[in-house]
């Protein structure tokens, strides 16, 4: 009955799912960005989404996972309660394969396809491109690095995603990037995600993060505001923007800020609808990997680029 009602009024479904038509490049993504920040908007969309796409049993064979000791229920419960879970650590061989990949393939300054260089050439690249670089990302990582592809398809990670999202998980993005150490201006902090903000990538989504370098207080730890995925004042919802440390501490309390340290290979899951940021690295660059899962791929988050468009500087 309810499913028939949704199908008889396709505009409702179009608005809350992937068939919305409009004049902009990606109207369904733009609409999601307006609606998903509000709890009622997410609830309505999830109700309609489930009518059209009822959750089917999603069979996962966890025997082939590289994370045999991770408890799915524990991770999901922590995500629901706190907004994050700490301690999904990479096996040494997977860590080393990704690190070797990062040092042997070009990265791209500010994630621009025309600012390519190898990590060891960072200072030379700043001179060559006549600009300061605070961040550099890689493209087409899953197709070029088997270890990243294996992580992206790991059955334990998919089982966590399925249980948390309450639907067959959709891979939205894989991102690998360097955050470079040194002083930064406020504008640079905003552009490199080093001020408190929250993400709006889907109506329901979350991410896995893995440190690929040692991260201590001086090398860019990630900070998450515990429970902020469930609690935001109306001004945060009406205008999604970067917030100062003082503003976040005044509203949530200093004890809500969880600073995440770890050796290379340390991983964690996070619903980045929580307020979060990376602290600017002081004396050591940070290499980080992110895997994102949601219910719909809007094509806005991935690292896939046409290889012919990627330009690397001439030494």
């Amino acid at each position: 009955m309810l499913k028939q009602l949704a199908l008889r009024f396709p505009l409702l479904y179009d608005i809350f799912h992937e068939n919305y038509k409009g004049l902009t490049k990606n109207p369904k993504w733009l609409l999601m960005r307006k609606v998903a920040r509000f709890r009622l908007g997410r609830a309505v969309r999830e109700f309609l989404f489930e009518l059209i796409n009822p959750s089917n049993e999603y069979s996962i064979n966890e025997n082939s996972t590289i994370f045999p000791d991770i408890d799915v229920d524990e991770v999901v419960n922590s995500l629901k309660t706190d907004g994050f879970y700490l301690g999904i650590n990479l096996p040494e061989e997977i860590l080393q394969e990704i690190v070797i990949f990062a040092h042997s393939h070009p990265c791209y300054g500010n994630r621009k396809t025309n600012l390519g260089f190898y990590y060891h050439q960072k200072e030379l690249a700043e001179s060559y491109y006549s600009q300061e670089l605070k961040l550099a990302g890689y493209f087409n990582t899953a197709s070029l690095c088997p270890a990243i592809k294996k992580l992206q398809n790991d059955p334990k990670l998919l089982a966590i995603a399925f249980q948390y999202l309450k639907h067959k998980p959709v891979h939205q993005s894989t991102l690998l990037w360097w955050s470079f150490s040194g002083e930064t201006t406020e504008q640079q902090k905003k552009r490199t995600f080093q001020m408190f903000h929250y993400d709006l990538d889907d109506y329901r989504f979350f991410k896995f993060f893995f440190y690929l370098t040692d991260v201590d207080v001086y090398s860019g730890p990630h900070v998450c505001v515990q429970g902020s995925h469930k609690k935001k004042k109306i001004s945060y919802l009406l205008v999604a923007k970067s917030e100062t440390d003082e503003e976040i501490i005044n509203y949530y309390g200093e004890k809500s800020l969880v600073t995440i340290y770890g050796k290379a290979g340390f991983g964690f899951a996070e619903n980045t609808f929580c307020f979060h940021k990376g602290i600017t690295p002081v004396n050591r660059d940070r290499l980080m990997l992110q895997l994102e899962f949601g219910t719909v791929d809007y094509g806005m988050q991935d690292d896939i680029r046409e290889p012919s468009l990627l330009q690397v500087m001439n030494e």
Side-chain angles (χ1 to χ4, degrees):
M1 175 71 177
L2 291 174
K3 182 175 181 179
Q4 291 176 344
L5 181 64
L7 292 172
R8 289 183 63 185
F9 295 95
L11 180 58
L12 286 175
Y13 177 61
D14 289 345
I15 288 175
F16 287 98
H17 190 40
E18 60 183 2
N19 296 321
Y20 180 75
K21 303 299 181 181
L23 300 177
T24 60
K25 183 178 180 180
N26 197 329
K28 63 182 180 180
W29 179 80
L30 293 173
L31 187 65
M32 178 276 295
R33 298 272 296 178
K34 294 179 182 295
V35 175
R37 67 190 66 191
F38 301 103
R39 184 177 299 178
L40 177 61
R42 295 196 302 274
V44 171
R45 182 269 183 180
E46 289 176 11
F47 171 73
L48 294 172
F49 185 81
E50 190 62 28
L51 288 179
I52 305 302
N53 302 277
S55 296
N56 297 317
E57 289 299 321
Y58 181 52
S59 177
I60 301 174
N61 181 4
E62 297 181 25
N63 292 332
S64 59
T65 183
I66 63 173
F67 304 103
D69 298 327
I70 296 297
D71 186 295
V72 172
D73 291 336
E74 183 180 356
V75 177
V76 171
N77 290 336
S78 183
L79 278 168
K80 290 178 179 178
T81 303
D82 300 323
F84 60 88
Y85 174 86
L86 307 182
I88 305 175
N89 302 327
L90 295 176
E92 183 65 23
E93 63 272 18
I94 296 292
L95 167 65
Q96 291 305 319
E97 186 174 338
I98 299 173
V99 170
I100 290 171
F101 168 84
H103 284 277
S104 60
H105 286 73
C107 54
Y108 296 82
N110 303 325
R111 291 183 52 80
K112 303 292 185 182
T113 57
N114 62 334
L115 300 180
F117 61 97
Y118 289 85
Y119 171 69
H120 68 273
Q121 300 174 316
K122 190 258 185 176
E123 292 184 4
L124 179 62
E126 290 182 317
S127 175
Y128 183 87
Y129 293 120
S130 301
Q131 59 181 285
E132 188 177 19
L133 300 174
K134 291 297 181 183
L135 178 150
Y138 295 82
F139 295 118
N140 304 320
T141 51
S143 62
L144 296 174
C145 179
I148 291 178
K149 182 71 171 180
K150 186 172 185 177
L151 276 176
Q152 187 175 300
N153 295 316
D154 184 84
K156 183 63 70 72
L157 300 188
L158 292 176
I160 293 169
F162 176 59
Q163 189 164 319
Y164 182 68
L165 299 171
K166 300 179 181 178
H167 208 277
K168 181 178 179 179
V170 173
H171 172 257
Q172 290 184 329
S173 73
T174 296
L175 300 178
L176 176 66
W177 78 96
W178 288 100
S179 296
F180 297 124
S181 60
E183 295 184 359
T184 54
T185 65
E186 183 171 313
Q187 286 302 314
Q188 287 174 327
K189 288 180 186 293
K190 288 181 180 179
R191 290 197 298 268
T192 55
F193 316 109
Q194 293 172 7
M195 291 185 68
F196 280 111
H197 63 285
Y198 63 88
D199 300 337
L200 280 168
D201 297 343
D202 197 354
Y203 295 93
R204 184 182 286 270
F205 70 101
F206 79 108
K207 304 175 183 181
F208 295 102
F209 294 97
F210 299 96
Y211 291 153
L212 303 174
T213 50
D214 292 346
V215 175
D216 58 19
V217 66
Y218 302 110
S219 47
H222 183 91
V223 183
C224 179
V225 181
Q226 186 174 19
S228 58
H229 61 310
K230 299 188 291 186
K231 177 187 176 184
K232 289 183 176 67
K233 61 184 179 181
I234 191 66
S235 61
Y236 296 157
L237 297 173
L238 292 176
V239 182
K241 62 181 180 66
S242 298
E243 302 289 351
T244 65
D245 290 10
E246 182 181 16
E247 168 64 27
I248 292 298
I249 290 172
N250 285 342
Y251 185 67
Y252 290 104
E254 192 165 6
K255 291 184 178 180
S256 295
L257 275 61
V258 178
T259 304
I260 302 172
Y261 306 107
K263 294 288 187 180
F266 181 83
F268 54 98
E270 182 181 334
N271 176 346
T272 56
F273 191 59
C274 282
F275 274 105
H276 63 282
K277 70 170 185 174
I279 295 178
T280 305
V282 176
N283 60 9
R284 185 168 60 232
D285 301 336
R286 185 194 71 183
L287 180 62
M288 195 165 189
L289 176 68
Q290 170 194 298
L291 306 175
E292 181 173 11
F293 293 92
T295 60
V296 175
D297 181 9
Y298 297 93
M300 304 298 290
Q301 312 299 327
D302 63 61
D303 71 347
I304 299 172
R305 299 293 187 275
E306 171 56 47
S308 63
L309 299 178
L310 302 178
Q311 302 175 33
V312 180
M313 71 175 190
N314 297 316
E315 296 188 54

